Amino acid sequence: MSEFALAASVLLARPSDDAIFLVHRSASLRFMGGFVALPGGKVDPADTDIRYCAARELFEETGVLLGNTTVNPSDLRRAVLAGQAKVPDIAEELLQPAGRLITPPFSPMRFDTSFFVALLPPGQIAEVWPGELDSGEWWHIRDALNAWKRGELLLSPPTYSILELISDHRSHDWAGLLQRELDLVATRRVPPIWFSPGVRMIPLDCAGLPPTQFMNSFIVGTGPRILFDAGPADPGEQEALLEEAAGVQGVILTHHHPDHVGAAQRVRDELGIPVWSHFDAAGRLPGLTIDRFIDDGTILSLGELELHVLHTPGHAAGHLAFWEPKHRLLFASDLVSTVSSLIIAPDDGDLATYIASLHRIQELPVRLLLPSHGPPTTRGHALINRTLEHRARREEQLLVALAAGKRDIRELALELYRGSTEETLRLAELQIESGLIKLRREGRL
Ligand SMILES: [Zn+2]
C-alpha cells in the first residue's frame, strides 16, 4: 500500500473570462483547515478511478456536474452527500489531466494528488454548501494573487504555486502547462512551499525522533531574506538547505537544540553569512561562531515583512519566536507543535517559564502559526490552549500520583505514561523531573 492517500483536485475554470473557482476550507479540517484551495478530496473506496473521484468531489463541493442527469441536480447532490446516490459517470474529455503533486514531508498526512482542469459547463453555477467548506468564489487569478500578497487571502501552498504558474494563460492552456510544470516540481529535492508572501518553508530530515523527524526551516523576507534554523546533520540534507538558502543575508537559530543547528556552521562557512542567536543559546553552542546576539524587542525589517523578536524561554534557554504583525504570522519554533507535544527537559528547559512563554504568545493576534515541527495552522490559539491544558492535566496527574505515595521518577513515569515504549518513558522521566522542579519551586511539594 502506498504511504500516500490518493486525492484529486479540480481547477474549475469559467471559460468566458478565465476565472477560477476557489473554496474556503473550514478551519476545523485536519488538513489545510482555514486555507483557500481548489475543490477536491481523497479517493473513496467506491470511486472507480481518480478521474471519477475528481468529478465526484467537484459535484459534492460545488454542485457542478460534468455529465448528464435526468434528476434535479440539487436533489441529486443532496442524495450523493447522504450516500444514497452515485454521481453519474462523466464524459472523459470534460476533465483534463493537469499533473500530480505529493505533499512534502512536513505533514503527517500526505497526499498524492492528481490535478484536473474542468471548464464550467454552460448553464451551470458553482455553489458551496457550508460544511467541510465555508464558502466558494470565482476569482480572476491576478486578483487572487494580489489579495494573497496583501495578506487578505490565505492560499494553501499548492494552490498559490498553481495560480502563479497559470496566471497569464487562458484556461484552455492550463492543463498542458501544469502537466509540464508539476513534472518539473516533482524532480526538485525541496519543492517550493509558500505559506505567505515572503515566507517559504523548507522541511528537512533533521533526525529527530518521529513524529518530529522533519524540521521546518523558513526563508523569510521580501527584500533581504533571513534563514530561520539550519537543522540537518546529514550531508545530503545539508546540501539541499545550502542550495535553497543561497542569497540569504543571515541565519537565525531559534534555539540551540541539535535538530535546529546541525547545518549552522556549514551554512555560515559556505554561504559566507552571519549566524545570529539569543545569548543564552550561544552559550550552549560551543564551537559554533555566533556573529550577533538578538533579544526580545529587536525588530527585523525584511522588505515588506517586519519581524518582532520574542524571547520565549522554557523549551530551551534562549528560545526565540518571531511575530509578523502585517500578515499576523507567528514563527513559534518549538513552543508548540502540530504533530506532538514537546519535551521540556530539566537540563535546559524550565516548565514554569515555558508556560509563561505560552501565555505570552497567546496574547498576540495570529492568523497563521508556523511551528518547527508539523504543518502550519490557522488555529494557533486553539493549539496554544490545548498545549496549556495538556500541561495542566499532566501536573494534576503528577500531584495525584504523588499523593498516592509514588516517590520514584520511574514509578511516576510508569503511572502517568502507562503503556509507553521504553524510549517514550525515558523522555517522560525528563518531563516529570521538570514537573517536580516546578512544583518544588512553587512550594507545592
Ligand atoms: Zn527544540
Side-chain angles (χ1 to χ4, degrees), residues 124-351:
Q124 291 203 37
I125 57 162
E127 186 189 20
V128 165
W129 290 352
E132 286 186 6
L133 305 177
D134 291 339
S135 59
E137 246 185 310
W138 288 101
W139 283 89
H140 290 125
I141 291 170
R142 270 288 147 215
D143 294 343
L145 289 170
N146 287 332
W148 180 81
K149 285 185 182 118
R150 291 192 301 270
E152 293 162 11
L153 193 67
L154 193 63
L155 294 170
S156 78
T159 305
Y160 164 71
S161 295
I162 283 172
L163 293 188
E164 278 288 2
L165 288 170
I166 61 173
S167 63
D168 295 319
H169 298 269
R170 302 298 314 270
S171 47
H172 289 96
D173 300 328
W174 292 355
L177 178 77
L178 278 180
Q179 224 166 16
R180 284 192 302 277
E181 294 292 337
L182 296 189
D183 274 354
L184 286 178
V185 169
T187 63
R188 286 179 63 170
R189 177 81 174 67
V190 183
I193 310 168
W194 293 93
F195 267 97
S196 192
V199 178
R200 192 179 152 202
M201 187 166 111
I202 302 176
L204 291 169
D205 189 340
C206 294
L209 285 177
T212 58
Q213 176 188 5
F214 282 83
M215 201 280 300
N216 306 323
S217 276
F218 293 94
I219 295 177
V220 182
T222 62
R225 295 176 307 142
I226 293 279
L227 173 68
F228 283 177
D229 285 332
D234 171 77
E237 294 291 281
Q238 289 185 347
E239 290 294 338
L241 182 63
L242 286 166
E243 202 170 297
E244 302 302 331
V248 304
Q249 272 72 31
V251 53
I252 294 180
L253 305 176
T254 62
H255 61 293
H256 71 277
H257 287 162
D259 56 334
H260 294 255
V261 306
Q265 190 68 53
R266 206 170 155 202
V267 165
R268 182 180 186 274
D269 294 345
E270 293 185 28
L271 297 183
I273 56 170
V275 179
W276 302 354
S277 80
H278 190 271
F279 180 78
D280 291 341
R284 288 170 165 80
L285 290 166
L288 177 66
T289 318
I290 305 290
D291 301 278
R292 180 183 155 190
F293 301 130
I294 51 174
D295 205 344
D296 206 89
T298 303
I299 295 176
L300 305 167
S301 289
L302 301 168
E304 288 165 36
L305 300 181
E306 193 179 75
L307 284 153
H308 294 236
V309 179
L310 310 169
H311 181 213
T312 45
H315 168 74
H319 185 285
L320 297 174
F322 300 83
W323 179 58
E324 204 290 319
K326 184 177 165 200
H327 293 270
R328 286 174 287 142
L329 311 172
L330 179 68
F331 295 89
S333 188
D334 277 358
L335 278 177
V336 285
S337 155
T338 45
V339 285
S340 68
S341 74
L342 291 151
I343 310 290
I344 311 296
D347 52 337
D348 61 355
D350 183 294
L351 199 50

